[in-house]
């Protein structure tokens, strides 16, 4: 997603880097003229309202996550149900979250043909610069009437660069999602600990686990950023950091004017979080191998950890998986400073893009439009086959008799998440419904840079050099593994030698231009 700060133990790299770059990718008109005969037939057929003329074409989607075992059966049902309207052979390929972004880049650069892929706001300018995606204005005008009607304009605006739209936004509650994280409720209650709502209550929880549960890791990861930054005694809300693939190094305090970009590592805030992480590291609150651990989800659902990064959308899945190994295990979402200030750092994070390697971009947009056309279509994709993978109980979905709720059909929703159609399940954890209700009740402020898109196009060499220092030296420092003042002084010196000042100067110009263009006061 622009990176909001790498909040507590955040394993999922769903960060919100903000980026700007003027157009790239092919014109949709050029795309269509170069498309296959199947695409041309689709255009004519749609215009003539004679879908029977459509030639069958494949539509392939790449998403992050784990493939549901019922996926093929559901896709076959969708293909059959949309034969007259779309005539597609829909395929959905899954890539593990940790490898997703890099693997999609590789597939696109290798020229692999696919049509739709899940992407994130932090990847927007990079996808455009690499010509990994196409602009879709013309396609939306021809085939996206329901998409345009269903999706708020501010979300479209956030994916528009120089008048060109590059993504189809997901619609869901997302304000400061990093302000929450997953906690083992059963362990918290076992030791009669209070609900975690602040840095102090979280540290109390971590210390209790460290002292009383030797086989349980208090915190998967190595970062207390969320609890520090969002605490009522600190900033009280998520901060705006961006600019790095592994860790942000650019920071703007959006509460101050004029808006000024800073080297995040040199801020007092960074130093404060660093000191807190040193304490956590020394107290044994972090996992020993947090810098190399690639299986945090596995450890959490195995019952080997007490807390980890996550948001309300992870609660049900994590709890269902946890209960397979720890029958009395419960998961809740700890939210720091619920009653404090809430800010929309950015209006969109997840979205679907049309690949520049797509041979049938029109049919891909037709499918995305079909998904948002009505509740029945959305249910077919998200819930599967009525009577087989789900049944309705009023407005809620229910697993059919004989199906373990832990094994229900659960496809990755992020390229097409749509709250107006989203159904909860009768088996949902109370913690999930409570968190969902809370986020839906929020009336957040909008950050001034919420639609700012950062581009590193002018500082590619410096970016590569700075990010090497961040990965090799700053991350171990930030997470408390390096603790001396000379360690800190060294990374600051090396960042300057790598060219971070040139990046700061270039970024400040982008921000100044954005402020002037949008008349931000």
């Amino acid at each position: 997603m622009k990176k909001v700060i790498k909040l507590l133990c955040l394993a999922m790299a769903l960060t919100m880097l903000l980026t700007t770059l003027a157009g790239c990718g092919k014109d949709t008109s050029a795309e269509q003229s170069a498309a296959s005969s199947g695409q041309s037939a689709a255009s004519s057929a749609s215009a003539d309202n004679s879908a029977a003329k459509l030639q069958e074409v494949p539509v392939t989607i790449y998403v992050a996550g784990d493939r549901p075992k019922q996926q093929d059966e559901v896709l076959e049902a969708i293909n059959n149900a949309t034969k007259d309207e779309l005539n597609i052979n829909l395929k959905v390929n899954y890539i593990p979250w940790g490898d997703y972004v890099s693997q999609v880049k590789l597939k696109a650069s290798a020229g692999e043909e696919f049509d739709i892929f899940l992407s994130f706001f932090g990847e927007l300018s990079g996808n455009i610069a690499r010509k990994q995606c196409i602009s879709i204005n013309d396609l939306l005008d021809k085939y996206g009437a329901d998409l345009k009607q269903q999706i708020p304009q501010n979300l479209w605006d956030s994916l528009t660069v120089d008048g060109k739209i590059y993504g189809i936004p997901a619609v869901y509650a997302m304000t400061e999602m990093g302000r929450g994280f997953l906690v083992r409720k059963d362990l918290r209650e076992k030791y009669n600990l209070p609900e975690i709502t602040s840095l102090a209550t979280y540290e109390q929880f971590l210390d209790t686990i460290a002292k009383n549960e030797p086989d349980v890791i208090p915190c998967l990861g190595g970062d207390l950023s969320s609890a520090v930054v969002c605490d009522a005694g600190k900033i009280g809300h998520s901060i705006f950091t961006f600019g790095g693939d592994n860790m942000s190094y650019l920071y703007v305090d959006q509460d101050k004017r004029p808006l000024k970009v800073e080297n995040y590592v040199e801020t007092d805030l960074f130093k404060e979080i660093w000191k807190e992480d040193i304490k956590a590291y020394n107290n044994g609150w972090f996992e020993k191998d947090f810098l190399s651990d690639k299986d945090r989800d596995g450890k959490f659902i195995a019952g080997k950890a007490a807390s980890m990064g996550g948001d309300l959308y992870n609660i049900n899945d994590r709890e269902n998986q946890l209960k397979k190994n720890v029958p009395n295990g419960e998961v809740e979402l700890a939210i720091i400073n619920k009653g404090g200030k809430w800010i929309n750092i950015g209006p969109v994070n997840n979205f679907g893009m049309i690949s520049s390697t797509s041979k049938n971009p029109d049919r891909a947009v037709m499918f995305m439009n079909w998904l948002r056309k009505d509740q029945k279509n959305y249910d077919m994709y998200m819930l599967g086959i009525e009577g087989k993978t789900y049944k309705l109980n009023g407005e809620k979905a229910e697993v059919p008799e004989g199906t373990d709720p832990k094994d229900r059909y659960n496809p990755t929703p992020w390229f097409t998440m749509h709250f107006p159609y989203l159904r909860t399940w009768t088996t949902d954890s109370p913690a999930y419904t409570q968190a969902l209700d809370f986020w839906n009740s929020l009336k957040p402020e909008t950050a001034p840079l919420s639609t700012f898109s950062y581009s590193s196009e002018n500082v590619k060499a410096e970016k590569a050099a700075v990010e090497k220092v961040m990965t090799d030296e700053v991350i171990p420092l930030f997470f408390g593994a390096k603790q001396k003042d000379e360690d800190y002084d060294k990374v600051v010196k090396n960042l300057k030698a790598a060219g971070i000042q040139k990046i700061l100067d270039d970024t400040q110009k982008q921000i100044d231009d954005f402020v002037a263009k949008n008349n931000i006061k």
Side-chain angles (χ1 to χ4, degrees), residues 254-449:
Q254 296 195 93
D255 294 330
K256 294 182 179 179
R257 297 294 184 275
L259 294 170
K260 180 183 178 183
V261 65
E262 302 176 63
N263 174 357
Y264 179 48
V265 178
E266 289 196 273
T267 63
D268 290 339
L269 180 61
F270 179 96
K271 297 173 188 176
E272 189 169 356
I273 297 169
W274 175 43
K275 289 178 182 178
E276 208 62 42
D277 286 346
I278 289 173
K279 178 171 70 173
Y281 184 91
N282 291 339
N283 287 341
W285 297 348
F286 296 154
E287 55 181 327
K288 291 184 176 64
D289 58 344
F290 65 85
L291 289 175
S292 59
D293 184 12
K294 294 186 178 180
D295 189 31
R296 288 179 183 148
D297 288 355
K299 288 180 179 178
F300 189 81
I301 64 179
K304 297 178 180 178
S307 66
M308 70 173 295
D311 54 43
L312 71 90
Y313 302 108
N314 306 128
I315 296 172
N316 287 320
D317 180 63
R318 294 294 187 277
E319 182 164 288
N320 287 338
Q321 296 297 322
L322 175 66
K323 284 184 178 295
K324 293 179 180 180
N325 301 297
V326 184
N328 66 337
E330 289 186 79
V331 176
E332 65 182 355
L333 191 70
I335 305 172
I336 301 299
N337 190 17
K338 277 186 179 181
K341 183 177 180 181
W342 288 79
I343 297 179
N344 268 331
I345 304 297
V348 71
N349 185 26
N350 302 318
F351 47 91
M353 299 190 100
I354 305 302
S355 172
S356 57
T357 65
S358 173
K359 296 299 183 184
N360 300 287
D362 60 340
R363 213 75 68 91
V365 172
M366 288 167 68
F367 168 70
M368 294 293 280
N369 188 76
W370 176 86
L371 270 175
R372 309 283 182 102
K373 182 185 272 189
D374 58 38
Q375 181 75 57
K376 183 181 75 170
N377 294 353
Y378 190 77
D379 284 350
M380 186 177 295
Y381 187 87
M382 293 303 304
L383 305 180
I385 304 168
E386 188 170 4
K388 193 159 191 178
T389 61
Y390 80 99
K391 58 183 181 179
L392 292 180
N393 185 338
E395 292 300 312
K396 290 190 174 185
E398 187 172 70
V399 293
E401 186 176 348
T403 300
D404 190 326
K406 295 188 284 291
D407 297 322
R408 69 172 174 83
Y409 179 65
N410 188 27
T412 293
W414 298 111
F415 78 101
T416 189
M417 171 70 85
H418 196 67
F419 257 31
Y421 294 150
L422 181 69
R423 294 189 190 274
T424 56
W425 290 75
T426 57
T427 53
D428 281 340
S429 164
Y432 168 72
T433 55
Q434 290 166 13
L436 187 62
D437 289 345
F438 174 74
W439 252 271
N440 279 329
S441 73
L442 290 175
K443 299 191 184 307
E445 300 176 20
T446 297
L449 293 179

Side-chain angles (χ1 to χ4, degrees), residues 71-107:
Q71 183 71 89
D72 289 341
E73 188 176 8
V74 171
L75 293 180
E76 182 179 2
I78 292 173
N79 289 336
N80 290 334
T82 60
K83 192 74 175 176
D84 291 339
E85 185 176 353
L86 303 178
N87 202 9
I88 59 175
N89 180 13
L90 185 63
K91 300 176 182 177
V92 183
N93 297 324
Y94 289 76
I95 299 173
W97 278 102
D99 300 322
Y100 177 75
V101 172
S102 61
Q103 284 297 309
V104 171
K105 288 179 184 177
L106 286 173
K107 292 176 185 300

Side-chain angles (χ1 to χ4, degrees), residues 9 11 38 85 115 127-128 146 225 251 254 290 335 337 364 394 396 411 464 471 503:
C9 321
E85 185 176 353
D115 303 282
N127 290 341
I128 296 172
D146 296 289
S225 297
Y251 167 69
Q254 296 195 93
F290 65 85
I335 305 172
N337 190 17
K396 290 190 174 185
T471 300
I503 296 175

Side-chain angles (χ1 to χ4, degrees), residues 250 261 454-455 457-463 466 495-496 498-510:
L250 302 175
V261 65
Y454 165 70
S455 171
E457 188 68 15
N458 296 329
V459 288
K460 290 179 181 178
E462 291 79 10
K463 180 178 187 291
V466 165
L495 285 171
K496 290 179 179 178
I500 196 168
Q501 188 59 49
K502 184 176 178 181
I503 296 175
L504 290 168
D505 294 341
D506 183 71
T507 306
Q508 188 64 55
K509 183 179 184 305
Q510 294 179 46

